[in-house]
Amino acid sequence: MQRERIVNLRDEAHIGKKVLVQGWVRTFRNDQFIALNDGSCVGNLQLVIDREATSDELKKRLNTGAAIQAEGVIESSQGGGQVTELKVSALEVLGEADPEEFPIQMKRHSLEFLREKAHLRFRTSTFGAVFRVRHALNFAVHRFFTEGGFFQMHTPIITGSDAEGAGEMFQVTTLDLNDIPKTDSGEVDHAQDFFAKPSNLTVSGQLEAELGAMALGQVYTFGPTFRAENSNTSRHLAEFWMIEPEVAFADLKDNMDLAENCLKFILKDVLERCDEDLAFLENREAQAEKSLPQDQRHETPLRQRLQAVADAPFQHVTYTEAIDLLQRSKPYKKKKFKYPVEWGVDLQSEHERWLVEKHFNGPVIITDYPAGIKAFYMRQNEDGKTVAAMDVLVPGIGELIGGSQREERLDRLKEKCAEFNIPEEHVWWYLDTRRFGSAKHAGFGMGFERLVMYVTGMTNIRDVIPFPRTPQNAEF
Ligand code: 4AD
Ligand code: MG
């Protein structure tokens, strides 16, 4: 008999059907009822075994976490909470889980505890829901761009360039670190290295995506990205996934519209496809927030919040206006901000959160940042001080998307390279696109894990990627 997935067995239409199911025991109670989960959905299938006919020896092996298979007939459920249940005629334990040792018991475990057991945390309802939603989000992204006429481009993971210029790169080398070859002048002799020059894991696929966009018109990348920034926050990973569209002939306005449409499409898509998992996560959030003071709890439930964002236009503000708003804010006047607020400084998380959560109370796009705090490739504005940059901030997360119109003027770009100490011979290929058929273009990067956090209501980025990589931690 072929295995049926539980997600397909829960409505009346299946009553009377003989099936085989396989999964993991969540609970076994009253010597009779097994709650079985096979990962296909957050809900369990109730299996009813014959109390008398089942041996004590078999019953003893039906512990939480055990893998089992059962055959039987789907019946209308006597108990509340489910429409169908399985009347079991044959039962087999495939793999036991010793209750003394299996760490995932049916009590509520803390997320911190489960992070240490990341290899087993998939077995909990919370992580099952998170990773199914993550999958759905992944496909929503591909659907949005594919339907919009974009082509996915696989940009390199090993590269010689530092697109963001932040110097947060993991080096890639095959040199023997215990016996590093040196040149006569005492420097590392990269000529002997695998690529015959220094190379690193990519911090962004953007520069290469731009090359593709300048021929294919509109492309996007969706791949792993690496940053060796030593910041142990709830929103940073050393290895994360990023979505980066790049569009030829587009300006900053087009770019903002694309970001807004993209986010709204994705939200609507998962609200429709993942209602059961999102309902579970919404409830989980409400439970978790019970221990928080009233003013730190969400007033609106998760799905309603996401729907509101999908329906309302995003707000816009320039960096200069944002600084002004912050300087007139209560926390600024009461000296509650830890970091300074003045024109020219980078906005810190505390500032972004005030803007988005207290002032605008919804997503906001901040544009036209000072040139000095943004990357070399951003298009210079006419004021000579700012660049055509945009950050999309959302409540609870802060920066979800960062992007810009790109500098398409060769002379200006060369000036920027000089200012940022980027040798032209390192980016000759990038400069070439400005030499041949240059045109305005724009794009952005959306952090995939930040998107998953936003949609699932999880508050730590380590809980939305299967095996997080953070400073001092690369277990599993
Ligand atoms: O703002 P960032 O650094 O922009 C870029 O990398 C551009 N090249 C994007 C582009 O224009 N094509 O990163 C983009 C997004 C951020 O807004 C954030 O959501 C996410 O990537 N991000 C991180 N997510 C998790 N961990 C980190 N360490 C992240 N750094 C950035
Ligand atoms: Mg950014």
Side-chain angles (χ1 to χ4, degrees):
M1 210 186 294
Q2 235 209 317
R3 176 170 87 95
E4 297 269 2
R5 294 165 72 236
I6 287 171
V7 67
N8 298 327
L9 296 176
R10 297 177 307 162
D11 56 62
E12 279 172 352
H14 292 87
I15 291 171
K17 199 170 166 191
K18 191 162 190 328
V19 297
L20 165 74
V21 292
Q22 295 171 321
W24 294 269
V25 174
R26 282 287 164 84
T27 57
F28 176 45
R29 61 188 175 85
N30 292 1
D31 253 16
Q32 198 180 10
F33 302 112
I34 302 170
L36 187 74
N37 191 282
D38 70 356
S40 61
C41 58
V42 71
N44 303 322
L45 180 67
Q46 170 153 288
L47 311 188
V48 187
I49 62 171
D50 189 322
R51 207 184 252 149
E52 269 75 55
T54 310
S55 71
D56 284 346
E57 197 234 342
L58 179 57
K59 283 179 192 161
K60 273 211 198 87
R61 299 166 69 214
L62 295 172
N63 294 307
T64 297
I68 65 169
Q69 72 171 21
E71 276 177 49
V73 175
I74 296 288
E75 297 191 339
S76 161
S77 180
Q78 309 299 308
Q82 66 267 334
V83 177
T84 61
E85 60 189 25
L86 183 74
K87 181 126 198 324
V88 176
S89 52
L91 180 69
E92 192 183 329
V93 175
L94 305 172
E96 295 181 17
D98 183 342
E100 301 293 317
E101 291 185 31
F102 183 57
I104 315 292
Q105 294 300 326
M106 276 319 283
K107 66 179 186 113
R108 199 171 276 279
H109 294 294
S110 74
L111 295 172
E112 290 79 9
F113 171 82
L114 291 171
R115 244 169 257 154
E116 315 250 293
K117 313 277 180 232
H119 58 309
L120 296 171
R121 66 178 177 172
F122 301 99
R123 307 271 189 103
T124 65
S125 299
T126 296
F127 286 95
V130 165
F131 291 118
R132 279 186 299 272
V133 171
R134 184 179 166 115
H135 167 82
L137 286 167
N138 179 71
F139 267 82
V141 167
H142 287 300
R143 207 173 290 121
F144 173 78
F145 287 112
T146 303
E147 287 176 9
F150 284 71
F151 301 105
Q152 188 185 5
M153 186 171 154
H154 293 118
T155 47
I157 289 169
I158 300 175
T159 162
S161 70
D162 178 6
E164 296 306 302
E168 296 163 335
M169 298 177 301
F170 289 100
Q171 296 176 43
V172 174
T173 181
T174 50
L175 294 178
D176 179 356
L177 295 183
N178 290 313
D179 185 16
I180 298 173
K182 297 277 174 68
T183 60
D184 291 343
S185 55
E187 311 204 310
V188 177
D189 186 8
H190 281 287
Q192 295 189 45
D193 204 345
F194 191 90
F195 298 108
K197 63 174 202 167
S199 57
N200 53 273
L201 295 178
T202 187
V203 295
S204 159
Q206 177 199 322
L207 301 191
E208 291 89 351
E210 281 187 51
L211 313 180
M214 294 311 288
L216 292 160
Q218 36 195 30
V219 300
Y220 72 106
T221 74
F222 189 169
T225 314
F226 307 86
R227 297 203 182 167
E229 60 193 319
N230 207 349
S231 48
N232 233 326
T233 80
S234 59
R235 303 179 313 137
H236 288 89
L237 290 166
E239 176 181 288
F240 63 100
W241 289 68
M242 184 154 56
I243 300 134
E244 295 183 276
E246 195 66 37
V247 185
F249 312 114
D251 61 15
L252 191 65
K253 166 86 173 61
D254 302 320
N255 205 29
M256 290 192 285
D257 290 347
L258 180 68
E260 180 168 346
N261 291 338
C262 177
L263 195 54
K264 286 179 165 170
F265 176 98
I266 291 168
L267 294 181
K268 285 183 193 152
D269 196 76
V270 291
L271 279 165
E272 208 178 293
R273 288 172 201 266
C274 300
D275 187 60
E276 191 180 345
D277 281 322
L278 290 176
F280 175 86
L281 291 165
E282 178 175 294
N283 187 43
R284 188 212 68 86
E285 180 188 74
Q287 296 296 327
E289 287 183 355
K290 274 187 183 160
S291 60
L292 296 179
Q294 190 77 41
D295 65 337
Q296 288 175 36
R297 297 182 203 163
H298 283 101
E299 281 168 27
T300 324
L302 179 67
R303 283 173 298 173
Q304 237 169 287
R305 296 202 305 271
L306 299 177
Q307 190 66 55
V309 170
D311 292 339
F314 288 9
Q315 310 191 61
H316 294 83
V317 64
T318 64
Y319 168 89
T320 304
E321 288 160 353
I323 290 290
D324 193 45
L325 287 171
L326 284 161
Q327 286 178 338
R328 286 190 281 124
S329 73
K330 254 196 211 145
Y332 179 80
K333 287 182 181 151
K334 291 188 174 168
K335 300 202 168 23
K336 287 270 167 65
F337 287 137
K338 202 169 138 210
Y339 293 91
V341 181
E342 61 197 63
W343 202 95
V345 303
D346 212 354
L347 296 181
Q348 298 295 324
S349 168
E350 57 179 356
H351 310 136
E352 296 180 342
R353 295 192 69 155
W354 179 82
L355 285 166
V356 92
E357 285 159 29
K358 299 281 181 254
H359 188 75
F360 289 104
N361 197 22
V364 51
I365 309 185
I366 305 186
T367 60
D368 305 295
Y369 284 76
I373 57 170
K374 289 291 184 187
F376 81 100
Y377 51 71
M378 295 194 182
R379 192 178 198 277
Q380 213 177 304
N381 285 331
E382 294 318 312
D383 64 10
K385 294 191 308 189
T386 60
V387 287
M390 60 168 220
D391 275 6
V392 182
L393 314 184
V394 297
I397 307 288
E399 180 189 337
L400 172 65
I401 294 174
S404 71
Q405 187 172 336
R406 317 308 188 189
E407 185 56 79
E408 85 283 13
R409 298 162 293 192
L410 182 62
D411 52 339
R412 301 281 181 103
L413 190 55
K414 283 177 151 185
E415 280 166 27
K416 275 297 196 64
C417 286
E419 257 172 60
F420 282 73
N421 288 321
I422 302 169
E424 285 184 27
E425 59 272 24
H426 284 190
V427 286
W428 62 272
W429 41 273
Y430 189 70
L431 295 173
D432 256 6
T433 49
R434 276 67 175 172
R435 285 200 179 91
F436 310 115
S438 188
K440 69 176 179 183
H441 59 288
F444 64 79
M446 170 155 59
F448 187 56
E449 283 73 22
R450 294 208 184 157
L451 174 69
V452 183
M453 284 174 79
Y454 185 53
V455 169
T456 58
M458 301 300 282
T459 52
N460 193 312
I461 200 163
R462 292 166 181 79
D463 296 331
V464 297
I465 187 164
F467 301 106
R469 268 61 181 122
T470 49
Q472 319 259 316
N473 170 38
E475 195 66 45
F476 308 105

